[in-house]
Amino acid sequence: MREITYAEAIREAMSEEMRRDTGVLLLGEDIGTYGGAFGVSRGMIEEFGEKRIRETPISEAAIVGAAAGAAMTGLRPIVELMFSDFITLAMDQLVNQAAKNRYQFGGQGSVPMVVRAPSGSGKGAAAQHSQSIEAWCCHVPGLKVVVPSTPYDAKGLLKSSIRDNNPVVFFEQKLLYPVIGEVPEKEFSEDHLIPLGKADIKKEGADLSIITYGRMVHLSLAAAERLHSLGIKVEVVDLRTLVPLDSKTIIDSAKKTGKVLVVHEAVKTGGFGGELVSTIVDSEAFCSLTSPVKRLCGYDVPIPYNKNLEAYAVPTEESIYKTVLGMMQR
Amino acid sequence: MREITYAEAIREAMSEEMRRDTGVLLLGEDIGTYGGAFGVSRGMIEEFGEKRIRETPISEAAIVGAAAGAAMTGLRPIVELMFSDFITLAMDQLVNQAAKNRYQFGGQGSVPMVVRAPSGSGKGAAAQHSQSIEAWCCHVPGLKVVVPSTPYDAKGLLKSSIRDNNPVVFFEQKLLYPVIGEVPEKEFSEDHLIPLGKADIKKEGADLSIITYGRMVHLSLAAAERLHSLGIKVEVVDLRTLVPLDSKTIIDSAKKTGKVLVVHEAVKTGGFGGELVSTIVDSEAFCSLTSPVKRLCGYDVPIPYNKNLEAYAVPTEESIYKTVLGMMQR
Amino acid sequence: MHLTNTVLLELYSKMRQTREFEEMAVKLFAQGKVHGTAHFCIGEEAAGIGVGHALDQDDYILQTHRGHHQAIGKGINLNHMMAELLGKESGCCKGKGGSMHIADFSVGSLGANGIVGGGLPLSVGAALTQQYLGKNAVTVCFFGDGAANEGSFHESLNLASIWKLPVLFVCINNQYGMSTHISKSMNIDDISIRAASYNMKGLSLDGNDVVLVYKETLKAKEYVKKHGPMLMVLHTYRLLGHSKSDAQVYRAKEEVKSWRKKDPILLFRKYLLTEKKIPETVLKQLEDQAAQDILNALAFAESSPEPMAEKLFEDIFAD
Amino acid sequence: MHLTNTVLLELYSKMRQTREFEEMAVKLFAQGKVHGTAHFCIGEEAAGIGVGHALDQDDYILQTHRGHHQAIGKGINLNHMMAELLGKESGCCKGKGGSMHIADFSVGSLGANGIVGGGLPLSVGAALTQQYLGKNAVTVCFFGDGAANEGSFHESLNLASIWKLPVLFVCINNQYGMSTHISKSMNIDDISIRAASYNMKGLSLDGNDVVLVYKETLKAKEYVKKHGPMLMVLHTYRLLGHSKSDAQVYRAKEEVKSWRKKDPILLFRKYLLTEKKIPETVLKQLEDQAAQDILNALAFAESSPEPMAEKLFEDIFAD
Ligand SMILES: Cc1ncc(C[n+]2csc(CCOP(=O)(O)OP(=O)(O)O)c2C)c(N)n1
Ligand SMILES: Cc1ncc(C[n+]2csc(CCOP(=O)(O)OP(=O)(O)O)c2C)c(N)n1
Ligand SMILES: [Mg+2]
Ligand SMILES: [Mg+2]
């Protein structure tokens, strides 16, 4: 298979879907000539023009709301929010409008839109540009939530999200943009769809399950590799979509290994990790558990600017490695 | 002790603190002559005047932001948001400004403010006016989160929140406003402070712990009463504050009973229940658990208008009763 | 512009239906037959009906929480709206929305909004679809004077302006946002001047004159199709309280009284009788019919079943 | 209004310090010595310095992400700002904020904001405190042309207006929001006309003329203390890219070139030499001093320790 970056995978997904369906369009700040803050839409305005690559003023509520209104009336807008932190400015339109309209109108209309939201820390952008707030969105009935970890997944999941008839919040961890990975050859591109709601076991193992998603998948795999040489076989489950959640895969993995570590970058308190732990301990896997179900998450702090502090604020390969070791030694 | 309503308790708390400290003021929509959407501030404008009971236009972001700015410069504003659902409109100011300013400025300044947010379902106000979104706030380092269940607690916790030097989101469940309960006599009022971060065991029991907060405390107590007559002794732990969380009381209760049911009105997926379950199963209580830790929460749906559907959407005394029975019979 | 008697009587009829609907709703609330709340537009009928009736099938509207007249103006089925008020399965939103979320996509109503100012961004999107697909249609976004102070107002008018979208922003200025008089929530008298911030045309009209509102909406429709968005402010008055329970201590009884004299239905009736020489019997017949329509709607609603419990889980996601 | 040479040279000095600071920052980024990003105000110094220097100790400012000149104008300690840029413990925010969150409460800077438009509501609150406590002081809220399209702009100006708060809204119109020229983000030429929406005084000035900006700020300060808020728009130009990495393909080289001729520091220098007859040696000395100040600041910053790991958990909550 050919290899491209995560950012390119996202661009390909958007471009293919835009070629396939003229109802798909992209809205956002500086997404034209500038190519978006992270260069993800670079070159798209040349192919699709200003009518479909629609640059907006700095008005996040209006952008997301306009996308919802366009979705309700027949289009399939994709919004690029420059940073997922700006969901805060569009929260009413996302939560009270896009997510609820179909339900509160008794099934009238649907809201097929995607909000792409670059998230996470690691770029020295400090507290207001480094958050991981996927858990908020998971707590809103009517929203689907995707956090892909690889170019392969990003492409297949974004294409599915664009075709989905519901509002999808698609978190793209900024540090993943340059990551390279395999994706299907061009001739199979069109059909490269990954269904929402299916986790992927990125590495099988019998001793302990790491349940995670996004960038932490890579760190978990790296830690798992090192643990392998100690004879510890870690299974790494990549959730890929948080809503809908593939509970079965999680529960099966927990049953198999009896030990579970949940890992995410988002701050621990109130994070989605709690949902994952609860899903396991309120399932038939409960009886197979041989030790406490642990979470390794971001510390409960805003992300600081200083590089060392920033790195310290979230899980690392090292801290995953150590936590697993600790769990196995008990 | 004398008895007053939950709404009156909140009014007393505000009025006493305003008398005590001229830096305390109240901002919000229709809080003057109208007395606020739920009549909570009724009469306060007569005592404190327009300078301190400040009616605002319908501009939630500016209201919360102005409160944060005032707090940073020496005042202690209380904001009445008409419905907690409108936090969506002020989310940037609450999350990116009020909660993070002290940290990102390296400890300069503090943000002593309270956002009072009427929440929950049961009034036929449908999807956009009935949410329970406390879990979002718990996932934001820098915010404290309070959800009182009784007039006694509401008063003592609000007074502490007003005196706290940090932003506090104070959820008031609308159905609790008319609920009557004991509060200290006037002469002890001033000192009636309940510290943030201390749970209250509302009923002791040895067989099963219900961990809950807010309105669900009352339903849990009623269910516990009925279960008592079957010989099942339920302990009801009222968290009172979600952040900071009194983990010790929860863990101790779980250790004692070995069976835990977490109850909240908010929708289950991504709710604070996950945090509570995780706190227990990643503690020394894990080994004492004799059955899966269960959550009984709102269904994952927007709140519908129809009265029956609305009632069906969230836990009831009956569903709590039945869930406990089910857990005990296993 | 000359209006035929047919049109005039349609307008009158819809205004009377609205009034009957609302008075029935007030009664139902008083009797405790309705759970929840509703916001009444008695006194503001000319605004909703004058605008709505001037629109075509393909045009969209975004309604407010106080939007019964807006829905009726656009042609909603009265039975379905009444059933919705009662939370019935046969309601336009299957009982899930209630008065605050009245919607009927089949007549182009994309829904009422419980969030003040919440419909403004949505209207920009709906108009974007119309422009993008080359439809010869417009979107009307209703909102109140209070909503004009929300950030969404500013962002939406600006965005619609730079994209030259066919959206008509209609501000129903009924003088109050809940208990707050407009003079306390902004320092300007006439909201239409805010259009200048977006280089947009602004227009300020007597919102109690249904003929004027209707005619100006027809013109505005053509204007926005050609030139992009416009802001139209309709001055009127909320004769009842904010919602079902409101003691209205914040305003003088005399103020309400003086506006009662400007009741748009009375004014229009007089106009039809004296200027248009419509026989009173004709009007009387329409009035009776309107009353009957609402009784029928109530009968329909009351005889409709409640939604079954399992409906709770329907329509969260589209397939 | 006559300005003493002392004041003029203070202004010149601060402008030079800003320029030196920024050029050093550009270099540090190019060398990879700084993690994260920064937004440079080269070409806009007259705006930040002219306003900031006209303020008193008690006055507050709310800065933007592009706010080094605003901070220096208000009197921030250069060592602490440089150390902050380098993320050091001795930084004004202990290394936790970085360029986007420069703050120094001791000189009245309530902080820069990473959220475009995020400071506007905060400024209303700060001015509320001043009014409430009867302080004879003002709050200045800086924001950009792009920020003028955020909902927070609208809500904040309206609220400040009805409460008659002593806040001066200063829009630094550098023509661009990131890559988006102002003509693409709004349909008006002059943002100051938006003041009319709030019945507020609006003023539009050449933001590259530091003397003008300084004088008008002095006047504006007195105005807002007496009459409440005012909107002042300063027209200038962002000579560098949006942030550390920006190929600037969205604008013509000629455009940048033509604005380079209007570099506010060059203009001011010429004015001082020719109109004010300040000897060049005096200016040269100030220039050297400014360069030295920045070198000193860098030395201070570089020799300062990194924050210890446990600082991660400090200052989340106040006691
Ligand atoms: C965002 C938001 N804030 C506050 C409310 C509560 N509320 C409902 S209606 C209303 C007044 C709205 O005033 P206006 O826009 O003038 O409309 P009117 O009710 O007069 O028709 C308020 C404050 C709300 N529903 N949404
Ligand atoms: C709410 C929000 N949206 C978008 C951004 C990304 N962003 C940072 S600066 C900027 C441009 C701001 O333009 P303007 O207000 O004119 O200030 P300038 O950068 O020109 O000084 C943008 C879009 C942001 N930081 N915050
Ligand atoms: Mg109104
Ligand atoms: Mg700019």
Side-chain angles (χ1 to χ4, degrees):
Chain A
M1 275 198 278
R2 69 204 165 91
E3 295 200 323
I4 59 175
T5 66
Y6 187 89
E8 285 162 352
I10 291 166
R11 187 187 310 138
E12 280 194 5
M14 290 195 288
S15 298
E16 284 174 19
E17 294 305 305
M18 285 182 75
R19 282 177 212 128
R20 180 177 170 273
D21 179 351
T22 57
V24 179
L25 62 173
L26 180 65
L27 279 68
E29 296 158 15
D30 304 288
I31 56 172
T33 317
Y34 194 84
F38 301 98
V40 176
S41 62
R42 202 164 285 153
M44 289 180 68
I45 191 150
E46 282 77 11
E47 176 174 356
F48 300 104
E50 292 193 351
K51 192 180 163 192
R52 298 183 68 190
I53 305 294
R54 301 187 76 95
E55 290 202 317
T56 64
I58 312 175
S59 308
E60 286 76 11
I63 300 168
V64 171
M72 286 164 67
T73 49
L75 303 183
R76 290 189 173 274
I78 307 168
V79 169
E80 175 174 302
L81 275 185
M82 204 174 282
F83 286 80
S84 73
D85 310 70
F86 308 158
I87 284 180
T88 51
L89 290 150
M91 200 80 180
D92 167 58
Q93 291 297 318
L94 185 65
V95 168
N96 291 331
Q97 316 295 338
K100 295 187 176 39
N101 273 349
R102 180 178 172 79
Y103 190 84
Q104 70 191 359
F105 298 153
Q108 293 179 89
S110 58
V111 191
M113 64 186 275
V114 179
V115 175
R116 292 182 35 233
S119 73
S121 65
K123 307 271 288 177
Q128 296 174 335
H129 285 72
S130 308
Q131 292 166 89
S132 300
I133 51 180
E134 60 276 4
W136 293 352
C137 298
C138 297
H139 195 44
V140 179
L143 293 183
K144 296 189 177 182
V145 182
V146 181
V147 196
S149 67
T150 65
Y152 185 93
D153 289 349
K155 182 162 180 189
L157 289 166
L158 182 52
K159 285 168 68 85
S160 295
S161 299
I162 295 170
R163 295 190 197 181
D164 198 283
N165 284 326
N166 298 284
V168 178
V169 188
F170 194 90
F171 287 94
E172 303 167 2
Q173 283 167 313
K174 298 187 285 277
L175 287 185
L176 292 178
Y177 282 135
V179 166
I180 284 174
E182 295 187 332
V183 297
E185 300 300 331
K186 288 273 182 191
E187 57 269 37
F188 308 113
S189 268
E190 179 71 14
D191 301 324
H192 177 51
L193 297 170
I194 296 175
L196 305 190
K198 272 222 55 58
D200 183 37
I201 300 181
K202 285 280 192 294
K203 179 181 166 61
E204 299 214 13
D207 297 336
L208 182 145
S209 306
I210 294 183
I211 316 283
T212 186
Y213 55 91
R215 188 168 74 88
M216 291 295 144
V217 170
H218 299 275
L219 304 190
S220 298
L221 286 170
E225 208 58 58
R226 284 170 60 193
L227 289 157
H228 192 84
S229 63
L230 301 182
I232 299 172
K233 291 179 208 70
V234 172
E235 175 146 307
V236 178
V237 179
D238 179 357
L239 294 172
R240 301 202 291 200
T241 59
L242 306 188
V243 178
L245 181 66
D246 184 355
S247 321
K248 185 171 178 319
T249 297
I250 306 171
I251 292 168
D252 286 349
S253 182
K255 279 205 305 213
K256 181 166 83 173
T257 63
K259 287 194 197 304
V260 179
L261 174 64
V262 166
V263 180
H264 60 58
E265 175 171 336
V267 300
K268 186 174 188 175
T269 298
F272 198 66
E275 185 64 34
L276 298 170
V277 172
S278 304
T279 300
I280 292 164
V281 299
D282 186 14
S283 75
E284 70 269 24
F286 179 77
C287 306
S288 323
L289 294 174
T290 55
S291 68
V293 184
K294 285 216 162 292
R295 289 179 295 166
L296 179 64
C297 308
Y299 287 115
D300 286 334
V301 302
I303 297 293
Y305 171 68
N306 175 277
K307 191 176 178 146
N308 304 334
L309 292 185
E310 181 183 26
Y312 181 41
V314 301
T316 56
E317 180 192 318
E318 188 62 22
S319 67
I320 297 171
Y321 175 84
K322 281 197 183 140
T323 307
V324 172
L325 260 192
M327 288 174 72
M328 294 305 297
Q329 279 160 1
R330 222 180 294 189
Chain B
M1 276 198 278
R2 69 204 167 92
E3 294 200 323
I4 60 175
T5 66
Y6 188 89
E8 284 161 351
I10 291 167
R11 187 186 310 137
E12 280 193 6
M14 291 194 289
S15 298
E16 285 173 17
E17 294 306 305
M18 286 181 75
R19 279 175 215 128
R20 180 177 169 273
D21 179 350
T22 57
V24 179
L25 63 173
L26 180 65
L27 278 67
E29 297 159 13
D30 304 288
I31 56 172
T33 318
Y34 195 84
F38 301 98
V40 175
S41 61
R42 202 163 286 154
M44 288 179 68
I45 192 149
E46 282 78 8
E47 176 173 357
F48 300 103
E50 292 192 352
K51 192 181 164 192
R52 298 184 67 190
I53 305 293
R54 301 187 77 94
E55 291 201 318
T56 65
I58 312 175
S59 310
E60 285 78 9
I63 301 167
V64 172
M72 285 163 67
T73 49
L75 304 184
R76 292 190 170 272
I78 307 167
V79 169
E80 176 174 300
L81 274 185
M82 206 176 279
F83 287 80
S84 73
D85 311 70
F86 308 158
I87 284 179
T88 53
L89 291 150
M91 200 80 179
D92 167 58
Q93 291 297 319
L94 184 65
V95 169
N96 291 329
Q97 316 296 337
K100 295 187 176 35
N101 273 349
R102 180 178 171 79
Y103 189 83
Q104 70 190 358
F105 298 153
Q108 292 180 89
S110 58
V111 191
M113 62 185 276
V114 180
V115 175
R116 292 181 37 233
S119 73
S121 65
K123 305 271 287 178
Q128 296 172 334
H129 286 71
S130 307
Q131 292 167 87
S132 300
I133 51 179
E134 59 277 4
W136 293 351
C137 299
C138 297
H139 194 44
V140 179
L143 294 182
K144 296 190 178 182
V145 182
V146 181
V147 196
S149 67
T150 64
Y152 184 92
D153 289 348
K155 182 163 182 190
L157 289 166
L158 183 52
K159 285 167 67 87
S160 295
S161 299
I162 295 169
R163 296 190 197 182
D164 197 282
N165 284 326
N166 298 284
V168 178
V169 189
F170 193 91
F171 288 94
E172 302 168 1
Q173 283 168 312
K174 299 186 285 277
L175 287 184
L176 292 178
Y177 281 134
V179 167
I180 285 176
E182 294 187 333
V183 297
E185 301 300 331
K186 289 272 183 193
E187 59 269 38
F188 307 113
S189 268
E190 179 71 15
D191 301 325
H192 176 50
L193 296 169
I194 297 176
L196 305 190
K198 271 221 57 57
D200 184 38
I201 299 179
K202 285 281 190 298
K203 179 179 166 63
E204 300 215 13
D207 298 336
L208 183 145
S209 306
I210 294 183
I211 316 285
T212 188
Y213 55 92
R215 188 168 74 87
M216 290 296 143
V217 169
H218 299 274
L219 305 190
S220 299
L221 286 170
E225 209 57 60
R226 282 169 63 194
L227 288 157
H228 193 85
S229 63
L230 301 182
I232 300 172
K233 288 175 212 72
V234 173
E235 174 145 308
V236 178
V237 178
D238 179 357
L239 294 172
R240 301 202 291 200
T241 58
L242 307 188
V243 178
L245 181 65
D246 185 354
S247 320
K248 184 173 180 316
T249 299
I250 305 170
I251 291 168
D252 286 349
S253 182
K255 279 204 304 212
K256 180 166 83 173
T257 64
K259 287 192 196 304
V260 178
L261 174 64
V262 166
V263 180
H264 60 59
E265 175 172 336
V267 299
K268 185 174 187 176
T269 298
F272 197 67
E275 185 64 32
L276 299 171
V277 172
S278 304
T279 300
I280 292 164
V281 298
D282 187 12
S283 76
E284 70 268 24
F286 179 78
C287 306
S288 323
L289 294 174
T290 56
S291 66
V293 182
K294 286 213 163 293
R295 289 178 295 165
L296 179 64
C297 308
Y299 286 114
D300 286 333
V301 303
I303 297 293
Y305 172 68
N306 175 278
K307 192 177 179 147
N308 303 335
L309 292 185
E310 182 184 25
Y312 180 41
V314 301
T316 57
E317 179 191 320
E318 188 62 23
S319 67
I320 297 170
Y321 175 82
K322 282 198 182 141
T323 305
V324 172
L325 260 192
M327 288 174 72
M328 295 306 297
Q329 278 161 1
R330 221 181 290 192
Chain C
M1 196 187 305
H2 177 76
L3 300 190
T4 63
N5 279 0
T6 315
V7 167
L8 291 171
L9 294 181
E10 282 165 6
L11 287 168
Y12 188 66
S13 190
K14 282 184 168 179
M15 286 172 82
R16 287 292 335 165
Q17 284 175 333
T18 304
R19 181 66 58 95
E20 294 287 346
F21 183 93
E22 295 253 311
E23 286 178 344
M24 179 63 79
V26 170
K27 196 154 74 186
L28 293 170
F29 274 104
Q31 293 170 348
K33 285 204 186 156
V34 190
H35 176 54
T37 190
H39 305 84
F40 304 111
C41 64
I42 288 180
E44 309 177 26
E45 292 90 346
I49 302 298
V51 172
H53 197 62
L55 301 179
D56 298 312
Q57 175 74 23
D58 275 4
D59 296 333
Y60 292 128
I61 61 168
L62 279 294
Q63 300 173 208
T64 67
H65 57 284
R66 195 180 306 286
H68 298 148
H69 54 343
Q70 299 153 15
I72 293 176
K74 194 66 170 75
I76 201 170
N77 177 303
L78 294 171
N79 290 1
H80 299 164
M81 186 155 85
M82 186 64 87
E84 189 58 35
L85 189 72
L86 297 197
K88 297 301 184 76
E89 173 70 34
S90 61
C92 49
C93 303
K94 297 190 186 153
K96 283 179 176 163
S99 167
M100 233 178 338
H101 301 295
I102 296 295
D104 186 345
F105 281 44
S106 73
V107 301
S109 163
L110 300 178
N113 216 305
I115 302 296
V116 168
L120 285 146
L122 299 175
S123 74
V124 173
L128 173 59
T129 299
Q130 292 170 324
Q131 183 193 66
Y132 189 86
L133 300 179
K135 297 224 168 135
N136 181 29
V138 306
T139 297
V140 167
C141 182
F142 289 104
F143 61 99
D145 47 292
N149 297 321
E150 284 280 11
S152 63
F153 166 88
H154 179 64
E155 296 189 5
S156 301
L157 268 70
N158 188 56
L159 189 54
S161 168
I162 60 175
W163 286 352
K164 287 209 184 319
L165 297 176
V167 47
L168 175 62
F169 294 103
V170 176
C171 178
I172 301 186
N173 172 17
N174 63 5
Q175 318 289 326
Y176 287 89
M178 220 151 182
S179 73
T180 309
H181 190 260
I182 181 170
S183 62
K184 285 180 68 183
S185 71
M186 58 181 79
N187 263 341
I188 53 172
D189 298 325
D190 186 348
I191 295 170
S192 75
I193 70 158
R194 290 189 170 171
S197 284
Y198 320 102
N199 194 21
M200 195 185 286
K201 184 171 170 181
L203 195 65
S204 200
L205 300 174
D206 176 355
N208 277 10
D209 180 344
V210 71
V211 172
L212 178 71
V213 172
Y214 178 79
K215 284 182 178 173
E216 290 294 332
T217 303
L218 286 179
K219 281 195 249 167
K221 226 169 57 174
E222 297 316 309
Y223 175 90
V224 304
K225 283 180 188 175
K226 250 204 204 129
H227 305 288
M230 174 173 158
L231 172 60
M232 190 162 110
V233 180
L234 305 177
H235 298 279
T236 177
Y237 194 80
R238 193 194 74 207
L239 286 173
L240 302 197
H242 165 69
S243 62
K244 63 167 184 182
S245 50
D246 175 358
Q248 300 179 59
V249 283
Y250 50 83
R251 65 182 181 185
K253 290 228 164 54
E254 292 67 46
E255 180 184 297
V256 183
K257 233 188 214 161
S258 81
W259 276 93
R260 281 210 179 276
K261 292 190 198 125
K262 292 184 264 185
D263 180 329
I265 297 189
L266 292 187
L267 294 181
F268 191 34
R269 192 174 203 277
K270 202 156 140 205
Y271 169 82
L272 292 173
L273 287 172
T274 57
E275 311 257 324
K276 289 287 151 181
K277 313 287 184 216
I278 312 262
E280 180 144 21
T281 49
V282 173
L283 298 184
K284 196 75 191 54
Q285 202 188 320
L286 288 180
E287 287 156 7
D288 291 345
Q289 184 59 49
Q292 190 56 50
D293 291 343
I294 298 309
L295 288 175
N296 294 347
L298 184 63
F300 171 84
E302 287 191 324
S303 67
S304 294
E306 298 274 333
M308 314 268 274
E310 62 263 29
K311 297 290 179 180
L312 183 69
F313 307 105
E314 243 174 41
D315 295 324
I316 304 165
F317 289 107
D319 293 334
Chain D
M1 195 188 306
H2 175 76
L3 300 191
T4 63
N5 280 359
T6 315
V7 166
L8 291 171
L9 294 180
E10 281 166 5
L11 287 168
Y12 187 67
S13 189
K14 282 185 170 179
M15 285 171 82
R16 287 295 331 168
Q17 285 175 331
T18 305
R19 182 66 58 94
E20 295 286 346
F21 183 92
E22 295 253 311
E23 286 179 346
M24 179 62 80
V26 170
K27 196 154 73 184
L28 293 170
F29 274 104
Q31 295 170 345
K33 285 204 186 155
V34 191
H35 177 56
T37 192
H39 304 84
F40 304 111
C41 65
I42 289 183
E44 309 177 26
E45 292 88 347
I49 302 299
V51 172
H53 198 62
L55 302 179
D56 298 311
Q57 174 75 21
D58 274 5
D59 296 332
Y60 292 128
I61 62 167
L62 279 294
Q63 301 174 206
T64 67
H65 56 284
R66 196 181 304 287
H68 299 148
H69 54 343
Q70 299 152 16
I72 294 177
K74 193 67 169 73
I76 199 169
N77 177 303
L78 294 172
N79 290 1
H80 299 166
M81 186 155 85
M82 185 64 87
E84 189 57 34
L85 189 71
L86 298 197
K88 296 302 183 74
E89 174 71 34
S90 60
C92 49
C93 303
K94 297 190 188 155
K96 283 180 175 161
S99 167
M100 234 177 341
H101 301 295
I102 297 295
D104 186 345
F105 281 44
S106 72
V107 299
S109 163
L110 300 178
N113 215 304
I115 301 295
V116 167
L120 286 146
L122 298 175
S123 74
V124 173
L128 172 60
T129 299
Q130 292 169 325
Q131 184 193 66
Y132 189 88
L133 300 180
K135 296 227 167 131
N136 181 30
V138 307
T139 297
V140 168
C141 182
F142 289 104
F143 60 100
D145 46 291
N149 297 320
E150 285 281 10
S152 62
F153 166 88
H154 179 64
E155 296 188 6
S156 301
L157 269 71
N158 187 57
L159 188 54
S161 168
I162 59 177
W163 285 352
K164 285 209 189 316
L165 298 177
V167 48
L168 175 62
F169 295 103
V170 176
C171 178
I172 301 187
N173 172 16
N174 62 4
Q175 319 289 325
Y176 288 89
M178 218 152 185
S179 73
T180 309
H181 189 260
I182 181 171
S183 62
K184 285 179 71 182
S185 72
M186 59 182 75
N187 263 340
I188 53 171
D189 298 324
D190 187 347
I191 295 170
S192 75
I193 70 161
R194 288 189 171 170
S197 284
Y198 319 102
N199 194 22
M200 194 185 286
K201 182 170 171 184
L203 194 63
S204 200
L205 299 174
D206 176 356
N208 277 11
D209 181 343
V210 70
V211 173
L212 178 71
V213 172
Y214 178 80
K215 285 183 176 172
E216 290 295 331
T217 303
L218 286 179
K219 282 195 247 164
K221 227 170 55 173
E222 297 316 309
Y223 175 91
V224 303
K225 282 180 188 175
K226 249 204 203 128
H227 306 289
M230 173 172 159
L231 171 61
M232 188 161 110
V233 180
L234 305 178
H235 299 280
T236 178
Y237 193 80
R238 194 193 73 208
L239 286 174
L240 301 198
H242 165 69
S243 62
K244 64 166 184 183
S245 51
D246 176 357
Q248 300 181 58
V249 285
Y250 49 83
R251 65 182 180 185
K253 291 227 164 57
E254 291 67 48
E255 181 184 296
V256 183
K257 235 188 216 162
S258 81
W259 276 92
R260 281 210 179 277
K261 294 190 198 125
K262 291 184 264 184
D263 180 330
I265 298 189
L266 293 188
L267 294 181
F268 190 36
R269 192 175 203 274
K270 203 158 137 202
Y271 169 83
L272 293 174
L273 287 172
T274 57
E275 313 254 326
K276 290 286 151 182
K277 312 286 183 218
I278 312 262
E280 180 145 22
T281 49
V282 172
L283 298 185
K284 195 76 193 50
Q285 202 188 319
L286 289 180
E287 287 155 11
D288 292 344
Q289 183 59 50
Q292 190 57 51
D293 291 343
I294 298 307
L295 287 175
N296 294 347
L298 183 64
F300 172 83
E302 287 190 325
S303 67
S304 293
E306 299 274 331
M308 312 269 275
E310 62 263 30
K311 297 291 179 176
L312 184 68
F313 308 106
E314 242 176 41
D315 294 326
I316 304 166
F317 289 107
D319 292 333

